[in-house]
Amino acid sequence: MELELERTEWNGFDTILDTTVCREETLEAIVPDACPDILRICDVEGTVCLAGKEAQEGRVELSGTVHAVLLYLPDGAEGMRRMEVSLPFTCTADAAAITPSCQVMAVPRIQEADARLLNPRKVLVRVGLAAEVQVFAPAIQQICGGVTEWEKDGVEQLSEQYDTYVTVCVQEKTFTFADDLTLSSGKPEADELLKSRAYIRCGEAKVIGNKLIFKGETQLQLLCRAGDGTLFTAEFELPFSQIMEVSGAGEDAGCEVQVILTDLDCTMDEGDGRMFSVSLGLLAQAAVREERTLRMLTDAYSTLYPLTAERKTYTLHQLMDHGEKEVTVRELMETGGLLTDVSDAYACVGPVTQSREGNRLTLTAQLNVTALYQGEDGNMGMLTRPLQAVCSLELPEQSLCSCHCFCTAPVFAAAAAGGLEVRFPVCFQYTALSGRSVAGISGITIDESAPLDHANRPSIVLRMVGEGERLWDIAKSYGTTAGDIIQANALEDDVPTDGRLLLIPRKR
């Protein structure tokens, strides 16, 4: 006969993939008729905009567009010129457990971009992408907490409590931001807008009721060319505040929110070199996690009938640490000559690697830093150097760490002896979990046709308690109950002292 068990449904998400996918895209592009011939390419920078992400059977697919801006010196003309090239991209990540019902969080980034001049009217553009991909599969499990009618069948049961850290909700929201911007009085009037880049950071996220409220800001940096041909940058802070619908999470839940670009459009107003219009398309992706306490039936036996228990193994997670750690990257980039001015500088973040020595986990982000400068000869030069940002965490060896890395502010660059000095902050956003396997009972059957015979057992047994031995284990091995042993020995609780001699009564 199958016994009826108390069952609690546990809903959440399992992380089945956490990886970084790297891909390279190339495209031959023709210089527009309205633009002069290219004499020399000075700089190439890309902005990646995610258009779609889809979970399929065994794989996840990301798609979007890289908007690459080439800055070049024209043949037979003065001043820097720009040319924009759009490169569509598609990248995939494979895992056997992925199904169309999975939720996907993706953060694509440009890790490097360059271009080669094929002729004065044609260029070959190459961009390298690094996309952080996390895939969450819905997990619905039933946990057995105990037997409903245990007394009539003489069932003794052991239910234990466990804490587990669960991803309870994965949600996303698209939103837009639009504004008109004005250059400060300390900046010259712009003759042309050459480039724009956005640094996005979500600084606050909290669940209230069934709403996730998150706030942050976008630091927008513009590179402009003045009427005299000089280049200058301008920065603007664009705050945002949004509300997202979530379910199944309490107000103490931890929220990881990543905001990425789906579109960036910045234009200079006609006839006014101090006014700009900006429009941002943004996608907020949130994973909401919280600690839950589960009561699980882990052992059972009957003092009256033979009992068979079916068991299932559950993986429970414990939060070891989570948060953000910001490090400052500072480096002297040698140019081999004197500089008169640094016009622009930016950093691209590539994949993050992990290494461990005992409890010390080291996260290393690969960076490519580019600076556009003017030498003492008056010519414009471009310098790119690979750098690293290193973050150390103290975490137990059994923990697994998921990390998201990004630049939080524009790169500061200035001429220095022998080259130029760059300085900028890099943020490591991390969550570290440890997992353990727990076996719980998923079903119980008893055989009422063959009652247990206690007649041949001794009526009284003297038994010494072994080191660390539980009263439950002793009672189970003799087919009696912990309550009978406590009563027979006048114990105050069910934790007997090691080495104590116990009287084990026979179950009648």
Side-chain angles (χ1 to χ4, degrees), residues 229 329 378 454-455 487 491:
V329 177
H454 298 281
Q487 184 177 6
L491 299 177

Side-chain angles (χ1 to χ4, degrees), residues 480-498:
T480 186
T481 69
D484 288 347
I485 297 177
I486 291 174
Q487 184 177 6
N489 295 272
L491 299 177
E492 294 183 357
D493 54 41
D494 61 351
V495 185
T497 306
D498 293 347

Side-chain angles (χ1 to χ4, degrees), residues 71 97 175 211 226 249 255 280 288 366 507:
L71 299 185
F175 61 101
K211 310 288 186 183
C255 307
L280 300 174
V288 183
Q366 306 299 324
K507 186 68 178 177

Side-chain angles (χ1 to χ4, degrees), residues 7 48 96 181 230 253 383 406 430 458:
R7 300 180 187 271
V48 58
L181 310 175
T230 60
L383 182 66
F406 52 94
Y430 62 91

Side-chain angles (χ1 to χ4, degrees), residues 20-38:
T20 299
V21 181
C22 296
R23 181 170 177 80
E24 185 175 282
E25 296 286 351
T26 59
L27 181 70
E28 289 187 3
I30 304 296
V31 178
D33 293 338
C35 297
D37 289 353
I38 298 177

Side-chain angles (χ1 to χ4, degrees), residues 207-237:
V207 175
I208 300 178
N210 62 344
K211 310 288 186 183
L212 170 60
I213 300 175
F214 60 96
K215 302 177 181 179
E217 67 176 15
T218 300
Q219 291 197 42
L220 183 68
Q221 187 177 42
L222 308 181
L223 176 65
C224 303
R225 176 170 56 84
D228 60 0
T230 60
L231 305 183
F232 67 93
T233 58
E235 289 82 28
F236 302 90
E237 292 187 358

Side-chain angles (χ1 to χ4, degrees), residues 238-488:
L238 312 176
F240 59 82
S241 177
Q242 292 288 316
I243 297 176
M244 183 189 301
E245 296 283 341
V246 295
S247 60
E251 296 191 356
D252 292 331
C255 307
E256 176 189 345
V257 180
Q258 299 171 1
V259 182
I260 62 173
L261 282 174
T262 59
D263 188 34
L264 172 58
D265 183 27
C266 189
T267 58
M268 188 174 68
D269 290 358
E270 293 185 10
D272 190 344
R274 310 197 68 83
M275 295 291 296
F276 300 86
S277 297
V278 60
S279 175
L280 300 174
L282 300 168
L283 171 65
Q285 307 169 98
V288 183
R289 303 179 176 94
E290 68 178 358
E291 190 172 74
R292 291 183 174 178
T293 300
L294 305 174
R295 189 170 68 92
M296 184 182 300
L297 180 62
T298 56
D299 201 1
Y301 65 93
S302 173
T303 60
L304 302 179
Y305 307 105
L307 181 147
T308 302
E310 296 178 3
R311 297 182 180 275
K312 183 178 181 180
T313 300
Y314 301 90
T315 299
L316 306 181
H317 293 96
Q318 180 182 2
L319 177 65
M320 307 306 296
D321 194 11
H322 73 104
E324 293 183 355
K325 190 171 183 180
E326 191 169 276
V327 299
T328 300
V329 177
R330 174 178 289 180
E331 188 75 17
L332 178 64
M333 301 170 60
E334 297 180 358
T335 60
L338 295 177
L339 309 183
T340 59
D341 183 44
V342 179
S343 303
D344 189 26
Y346 58 92
C348 297
V349 181
V352 178
T353 58
Q354 301 185 16
S355 60
R356 180 181 286 280
E357 291 185 6
N359 288 339
R360 179 175 292 274
L361 179 68
T362 301
L363 306 173
T364 304
Q366 306 299 324
L367 310 170
N368 280 309
V369 180
T370 300
L372 196 62
Y373 64 90
Q374 190 172 29
E376 59 181 341
D377 56 1
N379 293 326
M380 189 67 67
M382 189 265 288
L383 182 66
T384 299
R385 289 286 185 273
L387 300 178
Q388 290 184 338
V390 179
C391 173
S392 294
L393 303 173
E394 290 294 328
L395 296 170
E397 290 191 49
Q398 70 273 16
S399 61
L400 296 176
C401 184
S402 175
C403 179
H404 171 57
C405 183
F406 52 94
C407 291
T408 59
V411 175
F412 169 82
L420 58 92
E421 180 189 3
V422 295
R423 184 172 69 250
F424 57 96
V426 176
C427 181
F428 291 83
Q429 189 180 75
Y430 62 91
T431 299
L433 304 175
S434 66
R436 58 172 174 169
S437 297
V438 177
I441 292 178
S442 58
I444 295 177
T445 57
I446 60 171
D447 186 3
E448 294 182 327
S449 65
L452 296 176
D453 184 9
H454 298 281
N456 295 327
R457 295 186 180 181
S459 59
I460 295 178
V461 174
L462 291 176
R463 168 74 147 72
M464 184 175 291
V465 179
E467 183 178 354
E469 194 172 25
R470 298 179 301 175
L471 201 60
W472 167 269
D473 300 314
I474 298 174
K476 182 180 179 181
S477 63
Y478 286 93
T480 186
T481 69
D484 288 347
I485 297 177
I486 291 174
Q487 184 177 6

